Amino acid sequence: RAKAAGRNTVRVFLPPMQQEADQRLRLERGLREALEQDRMGTQFALHFQPQITTAGELLGAEALLRWHHPQLGEVAPEKFIPLAEETGLIHALGAWVVDEACAHLRAWDRDGIPHGGSLAVNVSAWQLVHPHYAARLVAQVHAAGVAPARLTLELTESALLQDFDGAQATLRRLAAAGFRLALDDFGVGYSSLNYLQHLPLDVLKIDRAFVSELQVEAGNPLAGFIIDMAHRLGIVAVAEGVETAFQRQALEQMGCDALQGYLISRPVDDASFRRWVVAHRHAPVS
Ligand code: C2E
Ligand code: MG
Ligand code: MG
Ligand code: MG
């Protein structure tokens, strides 16, 4: 193939590791430029995935960040979030997500879109451990004119384990300010049942791994156990990654409070989310 390109063309075939490092560098530069040149709005967007109660009513939505790189196209969060964390850009990126979430909430209010009670945003462990995180977030949301209770902060267990006492203090502060707090991807990490009761959590999100194991043949006793445990602690149980009617039915039978997943809706852009909400206004998802 190198020959076909012409005798005088030098083709450099990079070994896979180098290609990876190369792409990493391009992504990092792209991320930095978008943030510095205030071009976030042209490359980044929030998509929204509805969460419904088992009765089929809209409970709220999760905001999921999307990046359309000008040359590379769509870049998955699994790629650019870790990069943002390693480079420290996650703080600016996270602040953008919150500003954007507040702007969407205000616009939905203005346009009379009955979008449910709460919009969830994902918070990286690196953000949470920043000493000024809570104070800055409170000021930011206040400046945006949005009540903290309308945002749910989705945290992962890794955020808590780095420095449990510090994280606990930050969470107490955020809860006191009125934010709702959710523990994301529950059950797959280093879950310690002991720490759950020491945290002011409102929502426990059951990881997709447990939900996908709910097949026709055999139930997964762990999903039911997690739901019961959440309820004993006064915490709402939300199942992630619900893809089949069977999973939905099984979760309902186990007493799960709310569902999120492709069965209900994929994460969609603002226009599609508005249409979804309006279409289900008088017709709960059944
Ligand atoms: P997450 O917070 O656990 O979000 C759920 C992920 O599962 C999303 O992937 C969503 O698109 C996907 N999902 C939802 N329903 C289904 C389903 O029925 N089946 C399957 N197979 N997948 C489903 P996405 O959007 O690619 O995001 C991946 C992760 O990236 C998120 O996991 C979250 O940890 C992170 N992320 C996304 N946006 C942000 C952000 O704004 N800030 C931070 N720090 N992290 C973010
Ligand atoms: Mg999440
Ligand atoms: Mg999750
Ligand atoms: Mg996840």
Side-chain angles (χ1 to χ4, degrees):
R1 263 178 283 131
K3 215 173 174 182
R7 190 172 293 177
N8 299 321
T9 311
V10 178
R11 275 277 172 99
V12 182
F13 292 100
L14 299 175
M17 253 169 60
Q18 175 128 19
Q19 277 180 25
E20 220 169 87
D22 217 52
Q23 211 212 26
R24 231 192 89 98
L25 216 61
R26 282 182 81 184
L27 290 180
E28 186 185 328
R29 201 180 304 129
L31 200 55
R32 208 178 284 281
E33 278 173 9
L35 282 164
E36 277 168 6
Q37 299 167 10
D38 202 27
R39 284 207 301 238
M40 290 295 292
T42 62
Q43 292 181 24
F44 287 82
L46 293 184
H47 278 197
F48 305 95
Q49 187 175 36
Q51 302 171 331
I52 61 165
T53 66
T54 39
E57 267 146 21
L58 185 64
L59 184 75
E62 177 174 5
L64 293 154
L65 190 56
R66 297 291 175 257
W67 183 15
H68 187 90
H69 186 284
Q71 282 89 40
L72 301 169
E74 299 300 322
V75 185
E78 265 100 4
K79 253 201 181 134
F80 71 80
I81 294 290
L83 195 64
E85 291 174 339
E86 288 158 30
T87 53
L89 296 169
I90 192 68
H91 304 291
L93 195 61
W96 186 83
V97 166
V98 168
D99 268 340
E100 196 67 9
C102 291
H104 282 278
L105 279 171
R106 282 201 318 268
W108 294 336
D109 285 351
R110 182 196 63 211
D111 300 338
I113 305 292
H115 54 80
S118 180
L119 182 58
V121 294
N122 290 283
V123 177
S124 149
W126 295 76
Q127 292 175 267
L128 196 74
V129 298
H130 191 286
H132 302 309
Y133 177 69
R136 283 183 186 164
L137 183 67
V138 169
Q140 188 189 6
V141 169
H142 180 78
V146 167
R150 303 190 57 201
L151 290 176
T152 301
L153 309 176
E154 292 198 359
L155 320 151
T156 54
E157 291 164 292
S158 60
L160 308 172
L161 293 169
Q162 289 190 27
D163 164 21
F164 186 78
D165 293 338
Q168 187 183 24
T170 302
L171 294 192
R172 291 225 166 115
R173 196 161 164 191
L174 292 169
F179 291 98
R180 283 162 52 83
L181 302 175
L183 194 54
D184 207 348
D185 305 338
F186 184 76
V188 288
Y190 311 88
S191 314
S192 156
L193 301 184
N194 179 42
Y195 69 59
L196 279 181
Q197 59 184 331
H198 298 293
L199 298 172
L201 295 172
D202 300 285
V203 176
L204 205 60
K205 295 192 78 176
I206 304 166
D207 193 82
R208 186 162 79 223
F210 297 103
V211 174
S212 66
E213 275 173 33
L214 296 172
Q215 312 273 340
V216 181
E217 316 85 54
N220 178 348
L222 283 179
F225 172 72
I226 295 170
I227 293 163
D228 289 344
M229 183 187 59
H231 289 167
R232 277 169 191 256
L233 294 167
I235 297 173
V236 169
V238 178
E240 300 190 291
V242 182
E243 293 182 352
T244 68
F246 179 84
Q247 289 167 350
R248 177 177 179 169
Q249 200 187 349
L251 288 159
E252 279 173 14
Q253 275 165 9
M254 291 178 207
C256 190
D257 303 288
L259 313 166
Q260 181 181 345
Y262 294 168
L263 179 69
I264 294 108
S265 167
R266 289 190 171 249
V268 291
D269 66 13
D270 180 84
S272 302
F273 180 69
R274 286 169 179 248
R275 278 196 298 274
W276 190 95
V277 167
V278 171
H280 293 88
R281 172 83 170 120
H282 301 293
V285 190
S286 60

